[in-house]
Amino acid sequence: MRNCSQLNYNAPIAYLKKENGYYYTDPNYSIGNFPLNELELQALATAVDTLSQYKHIAVFNEFASTVDKVINLVQQISFERPAKGLKFIDFERAPYSKGKEYLDPLIAATRNKSPILLSYLKFDDTLPKERTLSPYLLKEYRNRWYLVGLQHETNNIRKFALDRIHSLRPAEGEEFIHSEGFEPELYFKNTIGISLEDGKVENIVLSFTPHDGHYVKTQHLHHSQETLIDDDQELRIKLRVVINYELIATILSFGKNVKVLEPEALRQEILNTYEECRVIYQS
């Protein structure tokens, strides 16, 4: 403890002959007060930034005091070591995101298996409609939250965007309905995003320019991504996913730097979209 360079305690230890033992010459010294090194401090700051995003959710309230203590500690160390600068991560946040106020009651209802009465207003509707729901899963996708559950009136699994919820309350007198086939970790396995459509999984073959191919190689579009060709002409990949809105939006986001090779129906849909865009810009 006194001399080991690996431990780096540099403990003020002395030998006391009459007691035949060792003691700290500084009574305030403790290895429990041993300072964090820079790597540990940076890891702690990253964790604090992550936790801070979720402090507003009531389910985390039981840990709030602990989180606050850690935040205060990191802020204090940051003040004492200003040259190092702990604010080195900026998480993506939506400037405004409606519906987060429903997270707390929905987390409680899902965890406690309590049915809810949901008043839901689709973007294309003028009046909200009420639905009774057994909530199964909350999922975040691109800063929007979605609720997945079994709708009692239709006895099928549906998803609802929290930003379209008009109101919700407990469904008094209703029993929670379990769906035998529902597995949260597998429900979105074959999708990009949150739309399942008809659930049919297809082989999607895409050809990227070498430049944009780097982005796809370093951050896969889906866990099923498989490289077919990777040379100075193209990056060709295959995905096993459902064709849905999010897949099409992802493909369109690459513009002229990607081409759909298979299936033909998806290729034609992308082509039609570009044709519609051309008409809009020429009008």
Side-chain angles (χ1 to χ4, degrees):
M1 290 176 63
R2 182 170 55 190
N3 301 318
C4 179
S5 60
Q6 291 178 317
L7 291 175
N8 199 32
Y9 286 142
N10 298 315
I13 295 176
Y15 179 72
L16 186 62
K17 186 175 181 179
K18 69 176 182 178
E19 297 290 343
N20 193 28
Y22 294 88
Y23 71 101
Y24 290 144
T25 58
D26 180 357
N28 295 319
Y29 179 86
S30 168
I31 61 172
N33 297 328
F34 190 69
L36 297 171
N37 63 38
E38 289 304 320
L39 287 178
E40 292 168 333
L41 187 57
Q42 290 176 10
L44 186 59
T46 302
V48 165
D49 273 351
T50 304
L51 288 170
S52 296
Q53 297 182 94
Y54 301 102
K55 282 184 63 183
H56 67 283
I57 300 177
V59 73
F60 293 109
N61 279 351
E62 58 187 296
F63 309 112
S65 61
T66 302
V67 173
D68 285 337
K69 288 177 183 177
V70 175
I71 291 173
N72 290 337
L73 170 64
V74 172
Q75 289 174 342
Q76 178 63 30
I77 297 174
S78 178
F79 176 77
E80 293 173 356
R81 304 185 194 177
K84 296 297 181 181
L86 286 176
K87 194 63 179 177
F88 55 86
I89 291 182
D90 185 18
F91 289 94
E92 181 180 9
R93 296 179 178 88
Y96 170 71
S97 184
K98 184 178 180 293
K100 285 187 177 180
E101 63 271 23
Y102 297 115
L103 273 175
D104 292 337
L106 288 175
I107 288 173
T110 305
R111 183 170 58 182
N112 298 326
K113 294 181 170 51
S114 303
I116 57 173
L117 195 61
L118 194 72
S119 180
Y120 193 75
L121 180 62
K122 293 182 178 179
F123 284 150
D124 296 329
D125 291 347
T126 55
L127 294 173
K129 296 178 182 178
E130 284 197 340
R131 299 164 169 84
T132 305
L133 199 73
S134 290
Y136 294 159
L137 174 69
L138 282 158
K139 178 176 175 64
E140 184 185 21
Y141 179 69
R142 295 191 175 179
N143 291 312
R144 289 183 187 270
W145 284 92
Y146 298 85
L147 172 68
V148 178
L150 188 136
Q151 185 174 331
H152 292 202
E153 293 83 0
T154 58
N155 197 36
N156 63 348
I157 295 176
R158 300 277 307 278
K159 69 175 186 302
F160 300 91
L162 267 62
D163 60 1
R164 274 146 269 184
I165 294 178
H166 190 260
S167 65
L168 65 86
R169 64 182 188 274
E172 303 292 345
E174 292 283 342
E175 293 290 329
F176 188 89
I177 301 176
H178 296 270
S179 177
E180 295 296 331
F182 183 81
E183 298 183 56
E185 65 275 10
L186 299 179
Y187 189 68
F188 293 103
K189 177 183 177 182
N190 298 317
T191 66
I192 291 175
I194 47 86
S195 302
L196 291 175
E197 307 302 345
D198 61 5
K200 180 183 177 183
V201 179
E202 300 192 42
N203 289 327
I204 313 297
V205 180
L206 306 174
S207 174
F208 291 86
T209 61
H211 179 270
D212 277 36
H214 291 303
Y215 293 97
V216 179
K217 285 188 291 185
T218 54
Q219 183 172 310
H220 287 191
L221 302 181
H222 188 259
H223 66 80
S224 67
Q225 181 171 313
E226 176 186 347
T227 299
L228 303 178
I229 298 175
D230 185 8
D231 56 26
D232 58 357
Q233 299 298 312
E234 65 170 330
L235 171 71
R236 185 177 298 186
I237 66 169
K238 181 174 74 173
L239 308 173
R240 289 273 300 161
V241 294
V242 171
I243 296 177
N244 60 7
Y245 171 84
E246 291 90 342
L247 171 65
I248 293 171
T250 299
I251 293 171
L252 291 173
S253 71
F254 285 94
K256 61 184 177 59
N257 296 308
V258 64
K259 179 169 64 176
V260 178
L261 301 181
E262 297 177 23
E264 181 58 34
L266 177 59
R267 177 185 172 92
Q268 191 60 49
E269 185 166 357
I270 297 294
L271 185 61
N272 292 343
T273 299
Y274 279 124
E275 179 59 28
E276 291 171 2
C277 291
R278 185 189 66 81
V279 171
I280 290 174
Y281 278 96
Q282 287 184 342
S283 62

